[in-house]
Structure formats: structure tokens, C-alpha cells
Amino acid sequence: MVNFRVGPGGLVAGELTVPGDKSISHRALMLGGIARGVTDITGFLAGEDCLATLRALQSLGVRIERPEEQHVIVHGVGPRGLHGASTPLDMGNAGTAMRLSMGLLAPQSFNSTLIGDESLMRRPMERVAAPLRQMGAEIGTQNGRPPVEIRGNRQMHGIDYELPVASAQVKSAVLLAGLQAAGITRVTEPAPTRDHTERMLRAFGAKVGQQGATASIEGGQTLTGTDIAVPADFSSAAFFLVAGCLAAQKPLLLRNVGINPTRTGLLELLLQMGADIKVHAHPNAADAEPIADLEIRRSGLRGIQVSEHLVPLSIDEFPVFFIAAACAEGETLVRGAEELRVKETDRLAAMADGLTALGVENHLYPDGLWIRGGTGFNGGTIDSRGDHRIAMAFAVASLRSRGEIEILDVANVATSFPGFVEIARAAGLKIETA
Ligand code: S3P
């Protein structure tokens, strides 16, 4: 088992660039695969999750070149060019790969089977299968979980669908199926979620409507290959945003970070807590993914009550947000975040257990967490439960700990943040792989 050992205290400073955005890298591969012509992806996230999508597309007949780690060239096969894979498609740890692939593959002429690692095989897939079935798809799950068995059906049709949960993965799967179904598909979300699919479909030349909370797409449109420059992942930058708030006596600068407003809830939360973060936005085309350099200085943080509308906008950042909350003066409360229970692990339980192990008073709710902050952390041992974001969050906690923190089972950090240890060490964390 791979573990981290992180020494207590220290300061962070300097300039760093975190790897490319995971959500955008998955989508660039998939849309590139079914587009006509070549898609040139730079800044690609060479993490295990996106490599699972890359390998799946190769098994479906897409030729993909990788002249450099982060430079990928996809030779699109066009809307009818995929062929069935001879073995099940293994999506590893990647929920996005599996759920978006369901929407991509249900309207094909061949059958597919989707599997994943132990964590992914426990995650709910009916939330995607149900709307796709309404569109005519034939999809089987095992009590709602993978393996997902898809019997391809070219005759799918558009629907009007109201998402019961605020999930960008479900929205995206329905839109990808809608692209290949007859008529118009409309998806209405209960709260805004990341809109990378809508933006990227437009970048590939598709028309995607947006009226209030409803995105719509007409089936039968052909995508055209394009160039995609993937920004640095805000969700990976998040660990250093919090590290900077806790320990940047001199400024910490994060370069080229994607600041799509459907992703930056954590920025808002940290500013509400009293963080000193400056956003230096780059000039951008209107529909492109917005990018900025983020400059962070240490500041005293205050506990807050998190507004529920910010939960989907910071959904992947809660592990490290809870670390910030544990360092803030006073109490912090998050409710309405039950989705955290069905991520790579149950992130509410994993964080509550880890905080308790390090001496931080907390209370776990079915849909949230209360934390009394300001006491700092004792040293101790954390079980990351194989969840990349739990592992990296507790590495950041070391900046305010009184003893060494050992973090168990961290190999999956490579799913989203290859090179985390080297970048964290360059920033000032006393981290080692053990
Ligand atoms: C993602 C959507 C979110 C997020 C995940 C990536 C995406 O999941 O947690 O890491 O790329 O669409 P949900 O749609 O389940 O909220």
C-alpha cells in the first residue's frame, strides 16, 4: 500500500501550475472521438481517470496519438464510426468516464459492458440509466451499480428531463445521448452544475440551447474536431488555495487555473471566511473556459454557515474545505451535501473520522458536517479509504498540525493529480511517499 508521511508545520510560497482539468480532459477525448476530423488537446490531464477514458475510446476504434504526456491528438471517427469493444470497458476509479460513456454508448449499434475498480463498482448508476431508458435505451445494472450492460439502440428519442439531483455527470450523459437521438432533448437542473459539456459541444460546432435552468440539444448534429487547450484544474488548485490561506507568508501564485463559475464555489466560501485571494483573470473569448492566475496570502479564517446553493459549485472541494474549516476560528456548518456520500468514497464519513483522529471536534449529519475550528491538528494516522481528495486534503492539514500525519492508501492520488507530491514539496509541504 502506498502511504504519505507529512511533517508538521511549514510555509508555502512560490509559483506553481497544477495539472489539467479532469472534467474537461474526459469531455475533450469523448467529443473528439465522435467528431469528424482531428482534435488536438493540449494541457491534457495525464491522470489515471482520463487515461481510462482514452483507453476505452481506443478499444472502441478511435485512433489516438500522444506525442507528449499532456498533448493528445484524437482522430475522430464521426457520429457513426465507433465499433463495439471485444472486452468490457474498464473505467478504473472514474465516475465521469463511466457515466458519460453510458450516454455516449447507449445510442450506438453495438453492445457495451462498463466495469471499474472496487470503489466505482459500488457507485450508483441508475441516476443515469433511468433517463436514458426513457429515451429508449436498453441498460442493465446490478442493483443500481456496475457492471453496466448496454444493448445499443440507434432508435433513441429526445425527452424533457428534470434532474432529481444536481449532477453534471447525469446532465452530460443525457445531452450526449440527446446528440445522437431523434428530436430535441431538454435537461433541467435543480441547481447550476458544471457546464463544461455544453461549452465544449459548442466548441465542436454543435448548437446547444440554454434557457434558465434548461439545456437543450437537437439530435443528429455532427461535431467537427477542434483544438482544446485544457486549463489547470480548479479542483487540484483547491488544495493549494487552502494551503496558501493557512501558510503563505509570502504570496503563492497558481497559474492558468480554470475559473468557470460553475466550479469556483470554494473561492466564494474561502472569501466569506476572510481569505486573501486575488483573481487575475486572463482575457478570454465569451464561450471559452475562463482562466486566471490566483494569488493567495495567509490570513485568519472565520467559520461560516455554507449556503446550500454553493454545494454543487464546490462539490469536489469539500474535503479540503473541511480542513480550512478546522483551522478557522469558530464553527462551520455544511448541510444539503448528501451527494458527498456517493463520491469515490463516503466523503462526509471519511472526513469526520479523519478530523476526529486528529483531535478536531465535529458532528456528522446525514447530509453534512459541523466542525469546531481553531484548535489545529494533532499528529496521527488517516485512512484515505483510497480516495484521492481525502488523501490530499489531509496532506494540507499538516501545515497546521503539531505532529506528523500519516495518510494511508494514497495510490489513487494519481487518478486526478499526477505529480502531487513533487508540486506539494516545491510549494513547501514536508511530504514523502512511504
Ligand atoms: C463531474 C461531476 C461531479 C464531480 C465529478 C466530476 C463531471 O459529479 O463530483 O468529480 O466531470 O461532470 P456529479 O455529477 O456526480 O455531481
Side-chain angles (χ1 to χ4, degrees), residues 22-23 27 96 99 127 166-169 194 315-316 343:
K22 180 150 73 80
S23 294
R27 287 159 170 81
T96 306
R99 296 201 177 116
R127 52 178 58 196
S167 163
Q169 291 178 349
R194 66 191 68 193
I315 192 70
D316 289 340
K343 294 295 175 188

Side-chain angles (χ1 to χ4, degrees), residues 66-375:
R66 218 165 139 216
E68 289 164 63
E69 272 243 297
Q70 297 161 13
H71 182 192
V72 175
I73 301 170
V74 184
H75 296 269
V77 294
R80 302 209 157 217
L82 296 180
H83 63 61
S86 49
T87 51
L89 299 168
D90 187 350
M91 301 308 188
N93 194 241
T96 306
M98 185 170 285
R99 296 201 177 116
L100 270 58
S101 294
M102 290 169 71
L104 191 75
L105 296 176
Q108 299 292 333
S109 58
F110 52 82
N111 302 341
S112 307
T113 302
L114 310 180
I115 57 170
D117 72 2
E118 214 190 314
S119 152
L120 187 54
M121 294 302 273
R122 285 195 303 262
R123 296 184 63 188
M125 295 300 147
E126 273 303 313
R127 52 178 58 196
V128 182
L132 294 180
R133 277 190 210 111
Q134 288 180 25
M135 300 174 79
E138 290 179 54
I139 299 187
T141 61
Q142 294 280 334
N143 298 321
R145 301 192 157 73
V148 177
E149 302 279 358
I150 301 170
R151 186 176 288 272
N153 175 11
R154 277 270 191 237
Q155 310 300 322
M156 287 175 59
H157 52 83
I159 54 168
D160 283 9
Y161 189 65
E162 285 209 18
L163 290 172
V165 279
S167 163
Q169 291 178 349
V170 181
K171 173 177 68 173
S172 300
V174 174
L175 289 173
L176 288 179
L179 175 69
Q180 306 172 82
I184 296 183
T185 297
R186 294 185 191 83
V187 195
T188 304
E189 47 188 6
T193 67
R194 66 191 68 193
D195 64 356
H196 304 305
T197 303
E198 298 91 308
R199 285 179 194 248
M200 199 178 288
L201 281 165
R202 292 188 193 109
F204 277 83
K207 285 206 182 85
V208 180
Q210 186 72 48
Q211 277 200 307
T214 304
S216 59
I217 189 159
E218 185 165 1
Q221 304 184 62
T222 298
L223 306 182
T224 306
T226 187
D227 293 352
I228 303 280
V230 182
D233 197 324
F234 183 86
S235 297
S236 296
F239 300 101
F240 296 99
L241 273 176
V242 172
C245 292
L246 301 185
Q249 244 161 32
K250 292 187 196 144
L252 179 67
L253 195 67
L254 308 180
R255 292 268 185 215
N256 294 323
V257 182
I259 53 156
N260 182 318
T262 59
R263 292 288 297 282
T264 51
L266 176 74
L267 197 56
E268 178 75 19
L269 293 174
L270 292 173
L271 290 171
Q272 286 175 14
M273 294 170 97
D276 180 353
I277 302 172
K278 291 195 180 69
V279 178
H280 304 287
H282 295 196
N284 250 115
D287 221 22
E289 292 286 349
I291 296 173
D293 296 335
L294 305 176
E295 185 181 338
I296 309 121
R297 285 180 179 74
R298 180 184 165 132
S299 59
L301 299 178
R302 298 178 297 276
I304 55 168
Q305 190 147 346
V306 173
S307 314
E308 276 196 32
H309 82 275
L310 288 174
V311 170
L313 306 181
S314 45
I315 192 70
D316 289 340
E317 286 62 74
F318 278 102
V320 79
F321 170 74
F322 293 139
I323 297 301
C327 298
E329 283 306 319
E331 302 170 28
T332 291
L333 179 65
V334 182
R335 300 297 301 264
E338 60 277 4
E339 274 295 298
L340 293 178
R341 298 240 184 223
V342 291
K343 294 295 175 188
E344 285 81 331
T345 187
D346 177 342
R347 287 185 174 159
L348 288 177
M351 287 306 298
D353 283 357
L355 290 170
T356 303
L358 301 186
V360 176
E361 193 186 343
N362 67 86
H363 178 79
L364 182 59
Y365 291 93
D367 65 343
L369 196 59
W370 170 90
I371 295 171
R372 186 187 301 287
T375 52

Side-chain angles (χ1 to χ4, degrees), residues 17-19 46 69 240 392 413-414 416-426:
T17 308
V18 300
E69 272 243 297
F240 296 99
M392 291 185 275
V413 165
S416 70
F417 201 149
F420 172 72
V421 169
E422 292 72 21
I423 291 180
R425 209 181 281 145

